[in-house]
Amino acid sequence: MKKVDVVLGLQWGDEGKGKVVDVLTPAYRVIARFQGGPNAGHSLHFEGKKYVLHTIPSGIFRDGSVNVIGNGVVIDPVILSEEIAGLEADGIDVQGKLLISKKAHLILPTHRAIDAASEAAKGKTKIGSTLKGIGPTYMDKTGRNGLRIGDIVSPEFGERYGRLKEKHLGLLRQYDYPVDLTDYEKKWFEGIENLKRFRLIDSEHAVNRLLDEDNTMLAEGAQGSMLDIDFGTYPFVTSSNTLCAGVCTGLGVAPSRIGNVYGIFKAYCTRVGSGPFPTELFDEDGERMRQIGMEFGATTGRPRRCGWLDMVALKYSVMMNGVTSLIMMKADVLNDFDRLKVAVAYRVNGERTTEFPFETAGEIVPEYREFEGWKCDINSMRSYDEFPRQLKEYVEFIERETGVPVKIISVGPDREETIVR
């Protein structure tokens, strides 16, 4: 009986999950998304092209693959249809390789409007939402008002949609937030029609059947562990469970069916939007990271905040996810730095701790350990043995601190620029 392996981000998202899934997928027949929505932006570079996937699993480019959008995902039919059209224009057989859970919830045009109205009303306390309507959709899901993919084939779908839309418009009137949904709503219903040509499945049965039939399966996480609704830097978090536990609820698999857990992290840290970021840099080093690493959101284009690697947060994520292998991305971005720093502890209200704290609103002062930079171009290196001593020391320090091996190191954006140890 096969188990489902998991790949997820250990920081605040944008760790480079798309590239890793693309590198790992040859070993897996089934790739499944289990949470989040089109706020994800998984970038893949190969054959001279760049693709950004928002909802579709990153295995879609592989012949013979099965790609599942699980029940834990929220879907905007407009964004998903545009994504499908782009891939089909490049000759990719999306219809033959994509399965969509009937239990996945739909993002309505009014959900997007509520997201924008809510964020505008918060002023300085805003979360930094991508304004894709994801939070309001999950609120309707837990409030038991939501519409799901399986509802689109019901003769009563139009009526149900109308009821939920009216409820939302009432809420928007309270916000005093004027909206014109005409254009987006037209595209939305066209998107709904488009999705009807795909295989809409009882995903929990399908996923378990695929595992019983001895298919290899990889669950692909979106966002990052530090954005988890329960364990992230609340309230500056996403609306779903981004941890490994989310695989069980987002696909309908038992905890005993989880296999390897691949945890992805950057050799430094980034964050988009508001929220605590203890190792954030506001100096030349931070700006260099941003420019060299091209740290601008794949979904929003927003400049990412940059800082040194945070070992307190990384060890916390490793513990929460039961990580079995670490994958370090963007080591090449640090090629030209003379000295590197890693936060090994925090001082919270003057007290030293190595545990990630509950209260992140106050001042967190990181305690750093310094490392010598490698000061050379590692992009062309294709084995760990070629690495300079300083980079090996950096990698081996991370392994000692986390107790988990660093199995893959990325030295550039391309598929080939990946070293598997």
Side-chain angles (χ1 to χ4, degrees), residues 1 77 164 179 187 198 240 244 246 286 303 306 339 345 357 387 410 413 419:
M1 179 181 77
L164 189 52
V179 288
K187 281 195 207 164
F198 288 85
S240 60
C244 185
C306 296
R339 306 287 298 169
F387 280 177
S410 174
I419 290 160

Side-chain angles (χ1 to χ4, degrees), residues 22 24 27 52 86 105 120 129 141 152 157 160 163 194 204 228 289 295 330 335 351 361 365 380 385 394 409 414:
D22 183 55
L24 293 175
V52 180
H105 278 247
S129 165
K141 175 178 177 173
I152 69 177
F157 179 68
R160 290 184 199 168
R163 278 202 303 270
N194 183 33
E204 62 279 25
D228 183 85
M289 283 176 193
E295 293 296 355
K330 291 198 161 184
N335 282 349
E351 290 203 12
V365 181
S380 59
D385 294 339
Y394 194 73
I409 299 160
D414 218 72

Side-chain angles (χ1 to χ4, degrees), residues 373-391:
W374 38 94
K375 296 292 288 177
C376 66
D377 185 355
I378 61 170
N379 297 72
S380 59
M381 295 178 184
R382 291 295 174 267
S383 78
Y384 188 75
D385 294 339
E386 291 177 64
F387 280 177
R389 167 186 58 82
Q390 297 91 331
L391 177 51

Side-chain angles (χ1 to χ4, degrees), residues 11-319:
Q11 294 160 319
W12 284 281
D14 312 307
E15 298 91 352
K17 294 177 289 292
K19 177 188 169 176
V20 172
V21 173
D22 183 55
V23 167
L24 293 175
T25 44
Y28 297 92
R29 177 153 186 255
V30 185
I31 316 293
R33 273 280 309 272
F34 61 89
Q35 49 69 231
N39 51 348
H42 292 180
S43 304
L44 296 91
H45 300 253
F46 54 89
E47 290 162 17
K49 292 193 97 164
K50 178 185 177 183
Y51 295 91
V52 180
L53 298 176
H54 300 289
T55 309
I56 293 174
S58 300
I60 199 73
F61 302 101
R62 299 283 180 186
D63 291 338
S65 64
V66 177
N67 295 267
V68 179
I69 299 174
N71 59 278
V73 178
V74 292
I75 294 173
D76 183 326
V78 179
I79 295 174
L80 180 52
S81 289
E82 286 170 355
E83 204 172 318
I84 290 163
L87 293 170
E88 288 182 335
D90 273 352
I92 292 155
D93 174 22
V94 184
Q95 199 171 342
K97 291 190 278 192
L98 185 66
L99 307 175
I100 306 172
S101 174
K102 290 179 188 172
K103 290 190 169 75
H105 278 247
L106 287 163
I107 301 171
L108 274 60
T110 40
H111 282 134
R112 292 167 62 95
I114 291 167
D115 205 351
S118 166
E119 195 75 335
K122 286 184 177 125
K124 285 183 179 173
T125 62
K126 67 182 183 182
I127 303 295
S129 165
T130 55
L131 307 180
K132 297 278 192 288
I134 287 157
T137 306
Y138 278 114
M139 284 168 71
D140 268 340
K141 175 178 177 173
T142 55
R144 292 158 296 204
N145 295 307
L147 285 175
R148 301 185 290 176
I149 285 286
D151 294 326
I152 69 177
V153 294
S154 162
E156 294 166 12
F157 179 68
E159 193 184 315
R160 290 184 199 168
Y161 172 86
R163 278 202 303 270
L164 189 52
K165 177 186 167 182
E166 278 310 310
K167 181 174 180 288
H168 291 164
L169 290 174
L171 193 57
L172 286 162
R173 282 191 288 275
Q174 288 175 34
Y175 276 116
D176 194 22
Y177 194 84
V179 288
D180 180 6
L181 301 169
T182 320
D183 290 345
Y184 205 83
E185 197 171 45
K186 181 173 177 288
K187 281 195 207 164
W188 194 86
F189 277 105
E190 286 167 2
I192 290 288
E193 287 309 308
N194 183 33
L195 295 186
K196 288 179 182 175
R197 67 188 172 96
F198 288 85
R199 282 175 289 168
L200 312 180
I201 58 164
D202 292 310
S203 53
E204 62 279 25
H205 293 295
V207 163
N208 281 287
R209 194 179 307 117
L210 284 161
L211 288 170
D212 288 340
E213 290 165 358
D214 231 25
N215 287 289
T216 49
M217 186 179 299
L218 186 67
E220 177 183 11
Q223 291 84 47
S225 298
M226 298 306 292
L227 295 173
D228 183 85
I229 184 70
D230 283 295
F231 297 101
T233 48
Y234 191 88
F236 302 98
V237 291
T238 194
S239 304
S240 60
N241 285 111
T242 58
L243 297 178
C244 185
V247 176
C248 299
T249 52
L251 288 177
V253 293
S256 57
R257 297 200 91 156
I258 302 289
N260 293 314
V261 181
Y262 301 101
I264 307 175
F265 69 102
K266 280 178 182 161
Y268 51 100
C269 278
T270 63
R271 178 163 198 166
V272 172
S274 312
F277 184 176
T279 62
E280 184 171 7
L281 293 169
F282 302 95
D283 58 8
E284 283 174 28
D285 284 337
E287 189 53 39
R288 276 170 77 200
M289 283 176 193
R290 185 176 300 113
Q291 295 304 329
I292 298 168
M294 293 182 287
E295 293 296 355
F296 301 91
T299 300
T300 60
R302 289 185 290 186
R304 295 178 187 139
R305 300 154 64 190
C306 296
W308 297 118
L309 183 63
D310 185 337
M311 194 54 70
V312 178
L314 187 63
K315 284 162 75 173
Y316 179 69
S317 290
V318 166
M319 171 186 78

